[in-house]
PDB file of all heavy atoms in Angstrom:
ATOM      1  N   ARG W 319      10.919   4.733  19.378  1.00  0.00           N
ATOM      2  CA  ARG W 319      11.835   3.837  18.676  1.00  0.00           C
ATOM      3  C   ARG W 319      12.422   4.401  17.353  1.00  0.00           C
ATOM      4  O   ARG W 319      13.634   4.486  17.247  1.00  0.00           O
ATOM      5  CB  ARG W 319      11.170   2.493  18.394  1.00  0.00           C
ATOM      6  CG  ARG W 319      11.869   1.578  17.452  1.00  0.00           C
ATOM      7  CD  ARG W 319      11.405   0.158  17.663  1.00  0.00           C
ATOM      8  NE  ARG W 319      10.026  -0.138  17.288  1.00  0.00           N
ATOM      9  CZ  ARG W 319       9.631  -0.514  16.048  1.00  0.00           C
ATOM     10  NH1 ARG W 319      10.499  -0.615  15.053  1.00  0.00           N
ATOM     11  NH2 ARG W 319       8.360  -0.742  15.820  1.00  0.00           N
ATOM     12  N   VAL W 320      11.559   4.867  16.449  1.00  0.00           N
ATOM     13  CA  VAL W 320      12.082   5.219  15.149  1.00  0.00           C
ATOM     14  C   VAL W 320      12.838   6.573  15.178  1.00  0.00           C
ATOM     15  O   VAL W 320      13.628   6.833  14.255  1.00  0.00           O
ATOM     16  CB  VAL W 320      10.980   5.280  14.012  1.00  0.00           C
ATOM     17  CG1 VAL W 320      10.501   3.897  13.746  1.00  0.00           C
ATOM     18  CG2 VAL W 320       9.894   6.271  14.307  1.00  0.00           C
ATOM     19  N   ASN W 321      12.619   7.353  16.247  1.00  0.00           N
ATOM     20  CA  ASN W 321      13.304   8.635  16.356  1.00  0.00           C
ATOM     21  C   ASN W 321      14.430   8.575  17.366  1.00  0.00           C
ATOM     22  O   ASN W 321      15.243   9.517  17.383  1.00  0.00           O
ATOM     23  CB  ASN W 321      12.345   9.729  16.827  1.00  0.00           C
ATOM     24  CG  ASN W 321      11.309  10.097  15.789  1.00  0.00           C
ATOM     25  OD1 ASN W 321      11.614  10.651  14.721  1.00  0.00           O
ATOM     26  ND2 ASN W 321      10.097   9.746  16.036  1.00  0.00           N
ATOM     27  N   GLY W 322      14.469   7.551  18.169  1.00  0.00           N
ATOM     28  CA  GLY W 322      15.399   7.586  19.284  1.00  0.00           C
ATOM     29  C   GLY W 322      15.141   8.706  20.253  1.00  0.00           C
ATOM     30  O   GLY W 322      16.051   9.447  20.697  1.00  0.00           O
ATOM     31  N   VAL W 323      13.876   8.916  20.544  1.00  0.00           N
ATOM     32  CA  VAL W 323      13.465  10.076  21.397  1.00  0.00           C
ATOM     33  C   VAL W 323      14.138   9.941  22.768  1.00  0.00           C
ATOM     34  O   VAL W 323      14.157   8.913  23.408  1.00  0.00           O
ATOM     35  CB  VAL W 323      11.900  10.113  21.583  1.00  0.00           C
ATOM     36  CG1 VAL W 323      11.507  11.151  22.677  1.00  0.00           C
ATOM     37  CG2 VAL W 323      11.227  10.405  20.244  1.00  0.00           C
ATOM     38  N   THR W 324      14.721  11.022  23.211  1.00  0.00           N
ATOM     39  CA  THR W 324      15.367  11.101  24.517  1.00  0.00           C
ATOM     40  C   THR W 324      14.457  11.805  25.564  1.00  0.00           C
ATOM     41  O   THR W 324      14.506  11.488  26.747  1.00  0.00           O
ATOM     42  CB  THR W 324      16.693  11.825  24.526  1.00  0.00           C
ATOM     43  OG1 THR W 324      16.506  13.186  24.020  1.00  0.00           O
ATOM     44  CG2 THR W 324      17.717  11.125  23.625  1.00  0.00           C
ATOM     45  N   ASP W 325      13.654  12.727  25.010  1.00  0.00           N
ATOM     46  CA  ASP W 325      12.737  13.528  25.948  1.00  0.00           C
ATOM     47  C   ASP W 325      11.467  13.815  25.249  1.00  0.00           C
ATOM     48  O   ASP W 325      11.479  14.117  23.970  1.00  0.00           O
ATOM     49  CB  ASP W 325      13.447  14.871  26.223  1.00  0.00           C
ATOM     50  CG  ASP W 325      14.727  14.825  26.998  1.00  0.00           C
ATOM     51  OD1 ASP W 325      15.721  14.435  26.306  1.00  0.00           O
ATOM     52  OD2 ASP W 325      14.720  15.146  28.177  1.00  0.00           O
ATOM     53  N   TYR W 326      10.379  13.790  25.986  1.00  0.00           N
ATOM     54  CA  TYR W 326       9.092  14.167  25.404  1.00  0.00           C
ATOM     55  C   TYR W 326       8.644  15.524  26.032  1.00  0.00           C
ATOM     56  O   TYR W 326       8.919  15.799  27.194  1.00  0.00           O
ATOM     57  CB  TYR W 326       8.014  13.160  25.730  1.00  0.00           C
ATOM     58  CG  TYR W 326       7.986  12.082  24.624  1.00  0.00           C
ATOM     59  CD1 TYR W 326       8.274  10.740  24.925  1.00  0.00           C
ATOM     60  CD2 TYR W 326       7.634  12.385  23.262  1.00  0.00           C
ATOM     61  CE1 TYR W 326       8.136   9.740  23.941  1.00  0.00           C
ATOM     62  CE2 TYR W 326       7.581  11.432  22.312  1.00  0.00           C
ATOM     63  CZ  TYR W 326       7.873  10.067  22.655  1.00  0.00           C
ATOM     64  OH  TYR W 326       7.779   9.155  21.684  1.00  0.00           O
ATOM     65  N   CYS W 327       7.951  16.250  25.187  1.00  0.00           N
ATOM     66  CA  CYS W 327       7.144  17.352  25.683  1.00  0.00           C
ATOM     67  C   CYS W 327       5.706  16.998  25.401  1.00  0.00           C
ATOM     68  O   CYS W 327       5.340  16.862  24.220  1.00  0.00           O
ATOM     69  CB  CYS W 327       7.486  18.708  25.022  1.00  0.00           C
ATOM     70  SG  CYS W 327       6.415  20.017  25.571  1.00  0.00           S
ATOM     71  N   VAL W 328       4.932  16.753  26.451  1.00  0.00           N
ATOM     72  CA  VAL W 328       3.470  16.431  26.265  1.00  0.00           C
ATOM     73  C   VAL W 328       2.726  17.779  26.182  1.00  0.00           C
ATOM     74  O   VAL W 328       2.817  18.552  27.107  1.00  0.00           O
ATOM     75  CB  VAL W 328       2.907  15.572  27.432  1.00  0.00           C
ATOM     76  CG1 VAL W 328       1.446  15.403  27.363  1.00  0.00           C
ATOM     77  CG2 VAL W 328       3.637  14.254  27.604  1.00  0.00           C
ATOM     78  N   THR W 329       2.019  17.967  25.071  1.00  0.00           N
ATOM     79  CA  THR W 329       1.349  19.244  24.869  1.00  0.00           C
ATOM     80  C   THR W 329      -0.204  19.064  25.066  1.00  0.00           C
ATOM     81  O   THR W 329      -0.688  17.970  25.047  1.00  0.00           O
ATOM     82  CB  THR W 329       1.565  19.834  23.492  1.00  0.00           C
ATOM     83  OG1 THR W 329       1.189  18.872  22.521  1.00  0.00           O
ATOM     84  CG2 THR W 329       3.052  20.120  23.247  1.00  0.00           C
ATOM     85  N   LYS W 330      -0.805  20.187  25.326  1.00  0.00           N
ATOM     86  CA  LYS W 330      -2.306  20.284  25.395  1.00  0.00           C
ATOM     87  C   LYS W 330      -2.939  19.410  26.469  1.00  0.00           C
ATOM     88  O   LYS W 330      -4.075  18.900  26.309  1.00  0.00           O
ATOM     89  CB  LYS W 330      -2.869  19.938  23.967  1.00  0.00           C
ATOM     90  CG  LYS W 330      -2.308  20.906  22.923  1.00  0.00           C
ATOM     91  CD  LYS W 330      -3.107  20.844  21.624  1.00  0.00           C
ATOM     92  CE  LYS W 330      -3.839  22.055  21.295  1.00  0.00           C
ATOM     93  NZ  LYS W 330      -4.382  22.161  19.985  1.00  0.00           N
ATOM     94  N   LEU W 331      -2.179  19.216  27.535  1.00  0.00           N
ATOM     95  CA  LEU W 331      -2.765  18.463  28.665  1.00  0.00           C
ATOM     96  C   LEU W 331      -4.013  19.178  29.184  1.00  0.00           C
ATOM     97  O   LEU W 331      -5.006  18.572  29.619  1.00  0.00           O
ATOM     98  CB  LEU W 331      -1.735  18.309  29.775  1.00  0.00           C
ATOM     99  CG  LEU W 331      -2.118  17.450  30.943  1.00  0.00           C
ATOM    100  CD1 LEU W 331      -2.300  15.969  30.528  1.00  0.00           C
ATOM    101  CD2 LEU W 331      -1.183  17.502  32.107  1.00  0.00           C
ATOM    102  N   ASP W 332      -3.998  20.561  29.113  1.00  0.00           N
ATOM    103  CA  ASP W 332      -5.081  21.365  29.613  1.00  0.00           C
ATOM    104  C   ASP W 332      -6.449  21.040  28.878  1.00  0.00           C
ATOM    105  O   ASP W 332      -7.500  21.165  29.488  1.00  0.00           O
ATOM    106  CB  ASP W 332      -4.779  22.841  29.458  1.00  0.00           C
ATOM    107  CG  ASP W 332      -4.367  23.175  27.992  1.00  0.00           C
ATOM    108  OD1 ASP W 332      -3.373  22.553  27.480  1.00  0.00           O
ATOM    109  OD2 ASP W 332      -5.044  24.008  27.370  1.00  0.00           O
ATOM    110  N   VAL W 333      -6.356  20.544  27.631  1.00  0.00           N
ATOM    111  CA  VAL W 333      -7.521  20.289  26.873  1.00  0.00           C
ATOM    112  C   VAL W 333      -8.348  19.174  27.487  1.00  0.00           C
ATOM    113  O   VAL W 333      -9.549  19.113  27.320  1.00  0.00           O
ATOM    114  CB  VAL W 333      -7.148  19.977  25.396  1.00  0.00           C
ATOM    115  CG1 VAL W 333      -8.326  19.511  24.535  1.00  0.00           C
ATOM    116  CG2 VAL W 333      -6.452  21.175  24.725  1.00  0.00           C
ATOM    117  N   LEU W 334      -7.654  18.274  28.164  1.00  0.00           N
ATOM    118  CA  LEU W 334      -8.350  17.041  28.680  1.00  0.00           C
ATOM    119  C   LEU W 334      -9.111  17.333  30.037  1.00  0.00           C
ATOM    120  O   LEU W 334      -9.789  16.482  30.509  1.00  0.00           O
ATOM    121  CB  LEU W 334      -7.372  15.900  28.863  1.00  0.00           C
ATOM    122  CG  LEU W 334      -6.738  15.360  27.534  1.00  0.00           C
ATOM    123  CD1 LEU W 334      -5.776  14.259  27.841  1.00  0.00           C
ATOM    124  CD2 LEU W 334      -7.835  14.931  26.576  1.00  0.00           C
ATOM    125  N   SER W 335      -8.945  18.537  30.571  1.00  0.00           N
ATOM    126  CA  SER W 335      -9.631  18.859  31.844  1.00  0.00           C
ATOM    127  C   SER W 335     -11.137  18.685  31.687  1.00  0.00           C
ATOM    128  O   SER W 335     -11.719  19.091  30.658  1.00  0.00           O
ATOM    129  CB  SER W 335      -9.368  20.294  32.265  1.00  0.00           C
ATOM    130  OG  SER W 335      -8.050  20.403  32.719  1.00  0.00           O
ATOM    131  N   GLY W 336     -11.770  18.071  32.672  1.00  0.00           N
ATOM    132  CA  GLY W 336     -13.246  17.986  32.647  1.00  0.00           C
ATOM    133  C   GLY W 336     -13.775  16.620  32.251  1.00  0.00           C
ATOM    134  O   GLY W 336     -14.986  16.446  32.150  1.00  0.00           O
ATOM    135  N   LEU W 337     -12.865  15.679  32.011  1.00  0.00           N
ATOM    136  CA  LEU W 337     -13.298  14.295  31.696  1.00  0.00           C
ATOM    137  C   LEU W 337     -13.292  13.424  32.919  1.00  0.00           C
ATOM    138  O   LEU W 337     -12.317  13.506  33.714  1.00  0.00           O
ATOM    139  CB  LEU W 337     -12.404  13.704  30.575  1.00  0.00           C
ATOM    140  CG  LEU W 337     -12.455  14.353  29.213  1.00  0.00           C
ATOM    141  CD1 LEU W 337     -11.239  13.973  28.380  1.00  0.00           C
ATOM    142  CD2 LEU W 337     -13.772  13.955  28.475  1.00  0.00           C
ATOM    143  N   ASP W 338     -14.257  12.565  33.069  1.00  0.00           N
ATOM    144  CA  ASP W 338     -14.319  11.713  34.232  1.00  0.00           C
ATOM    145  C   ASP W 338     -13.286  10.587  34.108  1.00  0.00           C
ATOM    146  O   ASP W 338     -12.437  10.365  34.943  1.00  0.00           O
ATOM    147  CB  ASP W 338     -15.748  11.112  34.267  1.00  0.00           C
ATOM    148  CG  ASP W 338     -15.922  10.318  35.503  1.00  0.00           C
ATOM    149  OD1 ASP W 338     -15.333  10.610  36.524  1.00  0.00           O
ATOM    150  OD2 ASP W 338     -16.698   9.324  35.444  1.00  0.00           O
TER     151      ASP W 338
END
Side-chain angles (χ1 to χ4, degrees):
R319 168 158 65 90
V320 295
N321 293 289
V323 170
T324 57
D325 297 75
Y326 272 116
C327 176
V328 174
T329 58
K330 300 193 115 169
L331 187 66
D332 53 303
V333 173
L334 295 180
S335 287
L337 293 163
D338 185 32

